[in-house]
Every structure is written in structure tokens, then in C-alpha cells.
Amino acid sequence: MKVRLITATAAFALMLGTAMSAQAASTLRYCSEGSPEGFGPQLFDAGTTLDAVRPVFNRLIETKFGTTDPVASLAEKWEVSDDGLTYTFHLRQGVKFHTVKGFKPTRDFNADDVVFSFNRMLDKNNPYHAVNGGTYAYFEGMGMPDKMKSVEKVDDMTVKVTLNAPEAPFIAELGMEWASILSKEYADQLEKEGKKEQIDLVPVGTGPFVFVDYQKDAVIRYKANKDYWRGKQKVDNLVFAITKDPAVRKAKLEKGECDIYPYPAAADLAELKANPKLTVEESEGPNVAYMIMNNKMKPWDNKIVRQAVNMAINKDAIVKAVFAGGAKPAVNPLPPTIWGYNDAVKGYPYDPAKAKEMLESQGVKDLKVDLWYQPVSRPYNLDGKKMGELMQADLAKVGINVNLVTYDWAEYLKRMHAGESPLGQIGWGADIGDPDNFMYLHGCGGTGNPPGQNNEKWCNNEYDALLKQGLETSDQAKRVEIYKKAQELIHEEAPIVPIVHSVTFMPMSKKVDGYVIDPLGIHNFENVGLK
């Protein structure tokens, strides 16, 4: 009996040990669609890159998972002055920065980190301002250098931010990745070692996962942050398996080599939904795909030409061929899921005969031009090449002969932001549930040097005045009317061709526990586990 008891106990211990070992080795595998441009959350604006930095960092304010609501994060609370210009943030105590190879923090997060993180972008004399290019795509594209006057330390756990003018969505905007908080202690150590560029290559934050390593175009590895202030993660490791081809992503999920993958091909959705081992979450995403016409190049500086191109593109055919019906033709640059959408604006009709007549009236006939197509899948554009081929066929009917061009995603964005593309695909998914998050992409501030996110390089003073008025108005009903006017104006001027607003689909193993498909298109892995 005694021997049997010992044997049973030993067997139980072995089973328990095996279970604990499996738990200790738990790894969530995400088949991402492309390689990040880097790991500096302040430097980049592409969703692929922001997905890769999001696990590492926190911000003063964050967006509540599954909603568009701002919530306290590294700032526990805040006050806003009566004139809307001064924000005082009271910081969270006891938050730890990550330890990575070559760096171990000696203090907790404090006001110095907040001031450093913002002043790196704001202050041209900051020792890190010009590191790794010194172009802050999001921060500058939103006009923040002009909007933010100063960021000051009040005491170790209090920071004061002063604006030059009221900014209605400012709290929500601080939830964006550009507002991620870096470690000043890490920055100071790298500066002493002569390795300042490493700050955007080996990131150090306070987030749920610690960066481990990156093999270009192959894999990104993270481990759970054991000191995370919101609590231990459900998995110990997070892996981004970079897999550009949606067919390969699908095969990996089916084989169990991935647990989650984004942007499935529309033709695969029925099969994925029928697989008993998988589930496919879906949501009508606040996003837009659009084609830019470079307003600094002829003939796209001509409004009549731009209006004609809007009439030449068959959006219904794109919805059917690229999205298998999982999208809606777009009329405005603002999605209908965002408040302030103007449903009184009617889209340009698909009328190639009329478009050709309008183009010829402006001397545009047998034109040869490059059209850039997106090289990676995005929620608003699942297959850039297929979409490009459809656009190519449409434009050929009206006398515009298109040569399809693409680049590596990072190079594509860099060149497009710089204004090199005559015609090109791009798009946007909401970061916050505010109209300005979409409308500012087309303002004058994004046309200059350094290049901004206004890829069509269209500048209209009346439009900019409306955006400014919208930001400085706190009454939401008044803001709705302002943004409706802005949509009417951009529709008339036609600097872009709005193409579609897509439904977002996320296939995953039924073992995945706690993943929430986000209305802002954010891929968040905090507190996601495996059953």
C-alpha cells in the first residue's frame, strides 16, 4: 500500500510538473502581415509597426480595450484648466521599466520619463531629437509641434502640459502610440555609451511584454513582463511570426503553427468559418482605403481631372473582387462608424464615358502614369495588387495608362510621405473615435517638409480653417456641423478617391482566450491566453 501511495504521489507530481512546465512555456503566436519599420513608437505611423511596438509600451492615457473610450493608464488622474490650455497629470506610483540585455533600471517610472518622451519630439535641442532620422510622422502629421507649447515636471509624480490653443480630442490623442513613454534612464545610459540609436532598435517600456529579439522579415520575440503593473500575463511568451502571404498565414493557422492571424483573403473566409477548430471574429471597422492623386504634379493639380478620376473607378467591382462583399463603397474620407459622418454627401457616380469626356476637355488623353499599390495586407486593403489591377483596367477605359509600381512597405511609406507617388493606394484605420483622426490627414500641415501624412499634397486654407475650428470647439454638436462642412469641401475638391470601408475579420484558434477584436483595428495581446 505504501509503495502504491508513493507511486501515485510521484505520478501526480510528475503530471503536475508537466502541466506547470507546459504553462511556463505557453506561447501565443501571432502571424503578422509584415515587418516593422523599427521599434520606436514615436518615429512611425504604419499599423504594422505600431502593432509590433504596442506590447512594449504604455501611455499616460490609453483606450479601453474593445471601445473608443480613453481611460487612465500611467496617469492615474488629470485636471484641465478652464481655458482648455493646461493639463496636469498625476502619475501612477510603482511602475517598473523593463530589463533588457545591457540595461537594468534602478528606479521606477516618474515625471522625468514623461518630459523626456515628449521633449524628444517637441524640442529640437533635445539630444535624442535627431536620432534615427528625427522625423516623427504621427506627432508632426497631427501638427503637434505647433499645438504643444511645453511639457514640464511639477514634481516627481506630476507633469504639466501646456497647449497653444484648445484641442478638443487631446486626452484621446494621448492614447496613440506616438505618446508612448520611454525610459529616460535608458536614454541617458545609451548616450554615455555612444549607442543612442539603440533606443528605437531595442525598446524599453513599461508594457505587458518585454522585447527579446527581432530577426528581420522572420520573427519578433517578446516575454511577459513579470513586474507589469496591471498584473501577470496569461502567457509567458508572445511571438510575431512575420508571414506576408495571406495563404501562408492561413496554412499556418490550420496547422497550429499560429494562433491568430490578421487580414485573411476574402475568398478564404467561408472555409475558415467552417473549420471546427477555428473561430473568425468580425467587426465593421472604422477605416478607409483611398487612392491619392498628387496635387503637386500635373494633371492632378486640376480639380476637374480629379473629379473625373473619381468617376472612373468602379468601387462596387473592388468590393466584390477584393473583399468578397465584406466592405462598403466609400464616399467620404470619414467612415460612417465615426460620429460626424456626413450622409448627405453623395458619391461620384461610376461613369467612365463622362469621366473620359471630362478628361479630354482638360487635354488629358493617352496619359501614361505610375500607380503605386500597397505591398502588404491591411484591414482596408486586403490585396493591393488585385485592387491595383482593377484600378488599372478602369483608368485604361478613360485614357489613363497605368504602370503598377510597389516597394517594400517601409520604403513605400517613406517615398509616398515625401510626395514621390503620382497615384497611389493608402488608407487609414481609426486610432481614436474622433473625426479629426481621419480629417487631419488631408490638411495643409501634412504637405510640407518634413513630409507628413497628407500623401496627396493637397492644401486648402478653407478646409484647414474648418479643422482648426473643430479642434478648438468643445461642443460636440457644433463639431459635427464643422466636420460635415469639411467633408462637403473635400468631396468637391476631390484630392483623393475614397474607395472602401471594410469589415475587419480575425481568424484564430478556438484555444485563444480573451482576444477582443477592437473597433479601432488595434491588435492587443494584453491578457490574451490559451485554453
Side-chain angles (χ1 to χ4, degrees):
M1 180 69 76
K2 188 175 181 179
V3 173
R4 287 181 64 190
L5 179 61
I6 293 171
T7 304
T9 303
F12 177 74
L14 178 61
M15 289 169 60
L16 183 62
T18 302
M20 292 178 67
S21 174
Q23 186 179 15
S26 61
T27 299
L28 182 67
R29 296 159 299 177
Y30 172 66
C31 274
S32 60
E33 78 286 358
S35 299
E37 302 152 276
F39 290 91
Q42 301 168 324
L43 297 177
F44 307 108
D45 60 357
T48 304
T49 301
L50 301 184
D51 286 342
V53 301
R54 189 171 295 113
V56 177
F57 293 97
N58 292 123
R59 291 149 293 286
L60 294 178
I61 310 295
E62 293 182 5
T63 304
K64 184 179 179 181
F65 305 145
T67 77
T68 59
D69 302 329
V71 294
S73 181
L74 294 181
E76 285 189 303
K77 58 182 180 177
W78 57 90
E79 296 98 36
V80 185
S81 62
D82 291 340
D83 61 7
L85 297 179
T86 303
Y87 291 72
T88 303
F89 295 96
H90 303 277
L91 308 182
R92 188 175 300 276
Q93 301 269 0
V95 176
K96 312 290 183 187
F97 277 102
H98 299 162
T99 295
V100 297
K101 186 177 180 181
F103 173 72
K104 185 174 182 178
T106 64
R107 63 165 177 81
D108 291 349
F109 155 76
N110 66 25
D112 292 330
D113 305 303
V114 178
V115 172
F116 165 74
S117 299
F118 284 99
N119 279 345
R120 179 190 180 185
M121 300 178 285
L122 192 60
D123 181 4
K124 293 182 178 179
N125 295 316
N126 185 284
Y128 273 84
H129 182 78
V131 172
N132 294 322
T135 298
Y136 302 98
Y138 236 142
F139 186 77
E140 291 164 352
M142 294 177 68
M144 283 295 167
D146 296 324
K147 295 174 183 179
M148 292 179 70
K149 183 177 181 180
S150 63
V151 181
E152 303 168 275
K153 175 180 177 179
V154 177
D155 58 43
D156 280 351
M157 301 308 293
T158 312
V159 172
K160 183 174 73 173
V161 178
T162 305
L163 306 181
N164 285 311
E167 176 88 358
F170 185 64
I171 287 295
E173 288 167 346
L174 290 180
M176 298 183 191
E177 257 61 39
W178 61 263
S180 295
I181 303 303
L182 284 61
S183 165
K184 185 178 187 300
E185 185 182 14
Y186 181 47
D188 290 344
Q189 178 179 311
L190 292 176
E191 186 175 12
K192 289 177 184 177
E193 295 171 350
K195 300 177 181 177
K196 287 195 289 188
E197 71 285 348
Q198 188 169 315
I199 197 166
D200 302 309
L201 302 176
V202 181
V204 169
T206 60
F209 290 94
V210 180
F211 175 84
V212 176
D213 62 44
Y214 169 49
Q215 297 173 27
K216 185 173 171 56
D217 296 331
V219 65
I220 313 169
R221 293 184 178 88
Y222 312 84
K223 63 182 179 182
N225 176 8
K226 62 182 178 63
D227 296 319
Y228 188 46
W229 60 274
R230 271 199 286 245
K232 185 180 183 300
Q233 296 305 295
K234 293 178 181 178
V235 295
D236 289 285
N237 302 292
L238 173 64
V239 170
F240 278 36
I242 298 166
T243 313
K244 296 181 180 180
D245 188 333
V248 179
R249 293 200 295 275
K250 174 177 176 286
K252 285 186 175 182
L253 180 67
E254 291 170 334
K255 293 176 184 176
E257 296 173 9
C258 278
D259 301 304
I260 307 175
Y261 87 89
Y263 320 128
D268 293 335
L269 286 170
E271 182 183 349
L272 289 164
K273 290 178 180 180
N275 189 324
K277 295 181 179 179
L278 307 178
T279 185
V280 180
E281 291 194 10
E282 62 183 84
S283 172
E284 187 173 338
N287 58 51
V288 62
Y290 57 96
M291 184 179 80
I292 65 106
M293 294 170 278
N294 194 321
N295 286 227
K296 289 190 174 181
M297 297 182 182
K298 292 186 178 298
W300 321 115
D301 58 344
N302 183 329
K303 180 174 77 171
I304 296 174
V305 170
R306 300 195 300 263
Q307 290 175 336
V309 172
N310 268 270
M311 298 170 70
I313 301 298
N314 188 343
K315 299 175 188 178
D316 288 329
I318 290 173
V319 167
K320 183 177 179 181
V322 179
F323 297 91
K328 296 178 180 178
V331 173
N332 294 313
L334 186 67
T337 51
I338 299 289
W339 62 265
Y341 180 81
N342 192 339
D343 54 13
V345 174
K346 303 304 176 187
Y348 288 96
Y350 172 57
D351 191 341
K354 179 66 174 175
K356 187 174 183 180
E357 178 186 323
M358 291 169 66
L359 288 168
E360 289 182 352
S361 75
Q362 302 303 303
V364 178
K365 188 176 182 180
D366 296 324
L367 178 68
K368 292 180 172 60
V369 64
D370 287 346
L371 188 156
W372 295 17
Y373 68 89
Q374 290 186 232
V376 298
S377 302
R378 303 302 302 140
Y380 51 78
N381 188 348
L382 298 178
D383 190 332
K385 187 175 183 183
K386 182 180 286 187
M387 186 184 287
E389 289 167 349
L390 292 167
M391 291 173 166
Q392 182 183 49
D394 286 342
L395 292 172
K397 294 174 185 175
V398 300
I400 299 174
N401 301 301
V402 162
N403 176 47
L404 294 177
V405 173
T406 197
Y407 299 92
D408 173 80
W409 188 219
E411 187 70 12
Y412 184 97
L413 290 169
K414 179 181 176 182
R415 287 173 174 254
M416 182 170 276
H417 288 344
E420 295 181 24
S421 172
L423 300 175
Q425 299 170 3
I426 199 68
W428 195 253
D431 300 294
I432 58 174
D434 192 280
D436 182 73
N437 189 236
F438 283 85
M439 303 301 285
Y440 90 91
L441 295 169
H442 312 289
C444 297
T447 63
N449 190 22
Q453 293 161 307
N454 180 340
N455 296 298
E456 67 275 10
K457 306 307 172 190
W458 171 71
C459 179
N460 181 287
N461 291 330
E462 184 182 353
Y463 181 86
D464 262 36
L466 286 168
L467 294 195
K468 184 174 185 292
Q469 186 182 356
L471 286 174
E472 295 181 1
T473 301
S474 58
D475 185 307
Q476 184 165 320
K478 292 179 180 177
R479 293 187 75 207
V480 166
E481 294 309 311
I482 292 166
Y483 289 118
K484 283 186 174 182
K485 289 180 183 177
Q487 288 165 78
E488 291 167 3
L489 178 58
I490 197 170
H491 177 75
E492 169 66 21
E493 289 292 317
I496 63 170
V497 182
I499 305 294
V500 297
H501 307 295
S502 75
V503 174
T504 300
F505 296 95
M506 187 69 71
M508 64 189 73
S509 166
K510 284 191 173 176
K511 294 187 298 181
V512 174
D513 178 39
Y515 183 89
V516 177
I517 192 165
D518 194 275
L520 298 178
I522 291 169
H523 299 139
N524 176 66
F525 301 104
E526 185 171 340
N527 289 327
V528 178
L530 295 169
K531 296 175 185 175

